[in-house]
Every structure is written in structure tokens, then in C-alpha cells.
């Protein structure tokens, strides 16, 4: 292979393939437009000036494009983060909020380095489906206020925008349908002089780039203790939402991403955002779906350009962007919500085949997220529910069968299944202590000991036989079970 060919192979896809370049650029354009009203709305939730949210979206997207672990995923100011830090801003002011964002970034870097991303393996598929469906519901619910108490032309504009996004791809896929929809509806409303809510009604757009600086707070231990709880909560919520979104994008694109790098990258992005006076953020599922699923973007370029174009739209084309009807962006987000929802998961055929426990976990996850508007709470509650369902299911797997020798001098109890805190609870009562012969053999060749509860249960069985002058021999332990049993047996309370 020639040196030129090797060099070409090292170039990113968007440089080597003009089609990829076009997709990434246009995807970034659409996402940037969709970010503006969202960032302004989240600024209102946090109780800060709209420019603070827009600056955060700019710095988050640009930074995560370089240091993040999931290509094409969009990170910006989010509602989940805004809800966490809003009380801090109300009680102590913007300086404390910015300081909390920086500290949250430090926490995320530490948690990422400690391997918190590995916890994602404990999130079951039913929770993931519930996460996706609740996310789609929240995206749609966020558009409802934009469709309530508005002039009647808003409704036909939304319908026209949806129609354009459904049918335009059948004509050509060169330009993303959402971008066409936004452009057409803006031209129509301006040309016809239709009075409908616009992006400019959400708040004033910034006219200059953010300037780096230190937060305006006293650098004391009192300040640290004030911001630490909010910063840690923000770090956890941001990481959970980002890692869940990254996993979703992995599934959609059928590619792998580094969750550890993403966790650390989120922290770095929040630190940078804090020093530029932003309100912090994390991965945005709605804008990510626009970028990945609707626009077809797959590289870091689209993420970087989403942030860069956001500032260009605000600073250079502010008056034009201010005239974009909110109906156009509502139509885009409604389309995203329908595309995000896993309709197969609620199909009658699927529900008939799915175990009741799996359905319950999915429903509980959705209910918690929709009720609290907090994806992190839903995922935690859903995962705990799934663990409880699993524990209940496998608690009955352990079986005990007894075979007594013809001469009635020995009885062999064969235990099969997984022994842990749930299944071992009933183990003690499965033996006939009074009538068994003097020698008892417990064969565990078909079982596995997982925890101290199981060792304690076996100790209890031995103790009850010993109280009657009978001996117990435990055989067939596999290596891990034998090691755990040897380490803990006799060291735990044997019970009654």
C-alpha cells in the first residue's frame, strides 16, 4: 500500500466521502436549529438568562465532539440538569450554579475513571425499552404547551411540517426533511404575514461568543459544602442519561462506543462549560435522534457542527432565526417522538408473549419517568424492580431431593440450582432433622453458592443436625463455592 493510500485510510469518513460530509453538515444544521428553543426553555427552568443555556449547548456540543466516547451523539443543556440545579440558583445565585457545574464535571471525570459505566450492564432490556418509550412520551409532552392556547394557523402549520417530513424523503434524501420543513414553513409564514409564535418569542439570542472566567463565588469550604450535593446529583443524573442515550445510539447504529470515555468526556465538557459561564448539560436524546435517526449522521463532525452552527445562527443570523415559527420545530420534535417510541414493544402479539414481570418493569419505568420527568429516577426504579422480579423468579429454582440408603445409615440430599439470599431462605426447612439417620450427606454438585446468606443457611443445617448428635458432610462444591464456603463457614451466625 502506498503512503498516499495509507494516509487516505487515516482520514475521517467525512473527508474521504463527500456524501458523508454533506449528511454530517446538514445534520448539524438541523440539530442547531432544534437546540435553540430547547436551550432557551431549559434556561427558564433553571432560572437563568437564555444566553446561559445557549452558551452551555455550544460548549457542551463542541467539547464532547472531541472528547466523547459516542460519535454523533448530541450533548447540550438539558431539562434534567436544569431541574437539579434550579434550586441552587434560586437560593444562592448564578455564581454558585456555575461553580456547581464545574464541580459536577470533576465528579463525572472521577466516576468515569472509577468505571461507573460498567454499571450499565445491570440495566435490563425491559428497562431500556421503558426508557426509550418514556423518552418519546416526554418529548411529545414537551410540545403540548406549544400547541395550547395558540393562534389557529399553528395547527395546519404543524400538520404541513409533519407531511413534509413524511413525504419529502420519497422525493430525495439529499437534504434532511426536517431542514426542508423548517425552511418552507418559515418562508410561508413570513411571505403570508401569518402571526404565530416564533423562536424570538422564547427569549433574546446572544450577540457575541461566551468569554471564559472563574465563577463569582468565595473559594471557601462553606461554598464547597453548599454546592457539593447539587453537583453530585447533577453528575449522577447527567451520566445516567448520557450512558443510556449512548447505549440507545449503539443499538440504532449497530456500533460500539466507549462508555468510560463518554463518562470522562461528559465531565470534561461540563468543566469547560462551567468556565465559560454555562449551565451545564448532558446527552440530549431528542436532538440525538434528530441527528442519528432522522438525518443519518454518524460522525463527530455533526456533533461539533451542531454546537458551532448554534452560535452562528444566534450571532450572525439572529434576526432570521428569531422569525422561525415554533410550529416548525414542534413538528420536528413530534416526528422525533414517534420515531423514538418502540411501537413493537406495545404490539398485542409482543405483549402476549412477554412474561408479566418484564411488562411490569417496562410499565413501572415509563410511569416513574413520566411522573417525575426525570429519566434517572425511572431507570433506577425500573432496574430495582427488575432485580426484584428476577430474584423472585429464581428463588424457587433451588431444589432438594433426598435418597436414603437401604440400610438406613445414610441419607443423601441432592441440592440443585442457584443458592443466594432469596433461594437459600427456604433451604433450612427442606431437611428432616428428627427422623434422618446419623450420617447426612449434602451433595452440592448441581448447585452454586453465591453469597453469605447461603453459607449461613448451610451452617444452620449442620448445627441443627449436630444438636441431635448427627454428622453432616457437604460434597460436590465447585471451586468458587468451595472457596466462599471455606472462607465464611463458622464465621457467621448460624441462626436457630
Amino acid at each position: 500500500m502506498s503512503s498516499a493510500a495509507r494516509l487516505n485510510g487515516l482520514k475521517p469518513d467525512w473527508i474521504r466521502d463527500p456524501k458523508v460530509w454533506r449528511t454530517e453538515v446538514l445534520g448539524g444544521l438541523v440539530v442547531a436549529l432544534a437546540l435553540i428553543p430547547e436551550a432557551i426553555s431549559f434556561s427558564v427552568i433553571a432560572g437563568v438568562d437564555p444566553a446561559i443555556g445557549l452558551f452551555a449547548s455550544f460548549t457542551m456540543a463542541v467539547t464532547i465532539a472531541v472528547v466523547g466516547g459516542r460519535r454523533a451523539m448530541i450533548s447540550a443543556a438539558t431539562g434534567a440538569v436544569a431541574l437539579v440545579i434550579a434550586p441552587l440558583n434560586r437560593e444562592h445565585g448564578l455564581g454558585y450554579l456555575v461553580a456547581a457545574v464545574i464541580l459536577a464535571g470533576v465528579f463525572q471525570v472521577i466516576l468515569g475513571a472509577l468505571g461507573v459505566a460498567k454499571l450499565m450492564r445491570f440495566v435490563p432490556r425491559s428497562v431500556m425499552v421503558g426508557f426509550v418509550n418514556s423518552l418519546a412520551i416526554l418529548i411529545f409532552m414537551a410540545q403540548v404547551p406549544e400547541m395550547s392556547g395558540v393562534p389557529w394557523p399553528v395547527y395546519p402549520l404543524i400538520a404541513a411540517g409533519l407531511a413534509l417530513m413524511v413525504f419529502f424523503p420519497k422525493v430525495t434524501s439529499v437534504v434532511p426533511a426536517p431542514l426542508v420543513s423548517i425552511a418552507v414553513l418559515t418562508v410561508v409564514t413570513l411571505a403570508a404575514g401569518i402571526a404565530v409564535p416564533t423562536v424570538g418569542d422564547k427569549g433574546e439570542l446572544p450577540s457575541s461568543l461566551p468569554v471564559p472566567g472563574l465563577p463569582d463565588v468565595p473559594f471557601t469550604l462553606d461554598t464547597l459544602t453548599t454546592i457539593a450535593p447539587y453537583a453530585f446529583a447533577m453528575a449522577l443524573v447527567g451520566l445516567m442519561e448520557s450512558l443510556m442515550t449512548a447505549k440507545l445510539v449503539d443499538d440504532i447504529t449497530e456500533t460500539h462506543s466507549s462508555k468510560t470515555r463518554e463518562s470522562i468526556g461528559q465531565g470534561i465538557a461540563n468543566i469547560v462549560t462551567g468556565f465559560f459561564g454555562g449551565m451545564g448539560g448532558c446527552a440530549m436524546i431528542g436532538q440525538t435522534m434528530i441527528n442519528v435517526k432522522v438525518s443519518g449522521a454518524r460522525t463527530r463532525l455533526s456533533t461539533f457542527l451542531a454546537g458551532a452552527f448554534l452560535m452562528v445562527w444566534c450571532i450572525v443570523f439572529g434576526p432570521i432565526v428569531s422569525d422561525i415559527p415554533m410550529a416548525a420545530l414542534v413538528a420536528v420534535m413530534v416526528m422525533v417522538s414517534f420515531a423514538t417510541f418502540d411501537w413493537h414493544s406495545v404490539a398485542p402479539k409482543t405483549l402476549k408473549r412477554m412474561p408479566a414481570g418484564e411488562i411490569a418493569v417496562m410499565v413501572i419505568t415509563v410511569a416513574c419517568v413520566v411522573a417525575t420527568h426525570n429519566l434517572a429516577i425511572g431507570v433506577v426504579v425500573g432496574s430495582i424492580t427488575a432485580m426484584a422480579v428476577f430474584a423472585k423468579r429464581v428463588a424457587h429454582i433451588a431444589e432438594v431431593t433426598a435418597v436414603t440408603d437401604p440400610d438406613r445409615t445414610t441419607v443423601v440430599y441432592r441440592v440443585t440450582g442457584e443458592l443466594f439470599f432469596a433461594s437459600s431462605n427456604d433451604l433450612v426447612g427442606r431437611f428432616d432433622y428428627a427422623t434422618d439417620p446419623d450420617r447426612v450427606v449434602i451433595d452440592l454438585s448441581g448447585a452454586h453458592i453465591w453469597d453469605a446468606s447461603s453459607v449461613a443457611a448451610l451452617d444452620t443445617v449442620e448445627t441443627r443436625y449436630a444438636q441431635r448428635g448427627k454428622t453432616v458432610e457437604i460434597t460436590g462444591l465447585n471451586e468458587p463455592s468451595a472457596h466462599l464456603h471455606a472462607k465464611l463457614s463458622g464465621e457467621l451466625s448460624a441462626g436457630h
Side-chain angles (χ1 to χ4, degrees), residues 43-68:
S43 299
V44 173
I45 293 174
V48 298
D49 188 82
I52 304 298
L54 291 165
F55 287 157
S57 296
F58 163 61
T59 54
M60 286 293 298
V62 169
T63 307
I64 206 68
V66 178
V67 300

Side-chain angles (χ1 to χ4, degrees), residues 361-375:
V361 170
M362 180 180 70
V363 171
I364 289 172
T365 302
V366 171
C368 286
V369 173
V370 173
T372 64
H373 284 229
N374 190 319
L375 294 164

Side-chain angles (χ1 to χ4, degrees), residues 18 34 52 55 79 95 118 248 264 312 355 368 390 400 410 461 464 488:
I52 304 298
F55 287 157
K118 294 178 181 177
L248 177 60
I264 296 173
V312 173
C368 286
F390 173 76
V400 180
T410 303
V461 172
R464 290 190 179 183
L488 298 179

Side-chain angles (χ1 to χ4, degrees), residues 352-411:
K352 286 180 181 178
R353 296 176 181 177
M354 192 74 67
E358 301 282 320
I359 297 174
V361 170
M362 180 180 70
V363 171
I364 289 172
T365 302
V366 171
C368 286
V369 173
V370 173
T372 64
H373 284 229
N374 190 319
L375 294 164
I377 292 176
V379 171
V380 170
V381 173
S383 297
I384 292 174
T385 304
M387 291 176 188
V389 170
F390 173 76
K392 182 179 180 181
R393 185 182 302 163
V394 301
H396 305 292
I397 290 179
E399 296 291 339
V400 180
T401 55
V403 177
T404 305
D405 282 355
D407 57 5
R408 307 256 335 146
T409 60
T410 303
V411 61

Side-chain angles (χ1 to χ4, degrees), residues 410-411 413 439-444 462 471-476:
T410 303
V411 61
Y413 283 93
R439 183 171 181 266
V440 178
V441 177
I442 302 177
D443 179 9
L444 295 176
E462 291 187 82
T471 61
V472 175
E473 180 185 356
I474 296 177
T475 64

Side-chain angles (χ1 to χ4, degrees), residues 105-120:
V106 174
F107 282 146
Q108 288 177 329
V109 170
I110 295 172
L111 290 170
L114 292 175
V116 70
K118 294 178 181 177
L119 295 176
M120 287 301 297

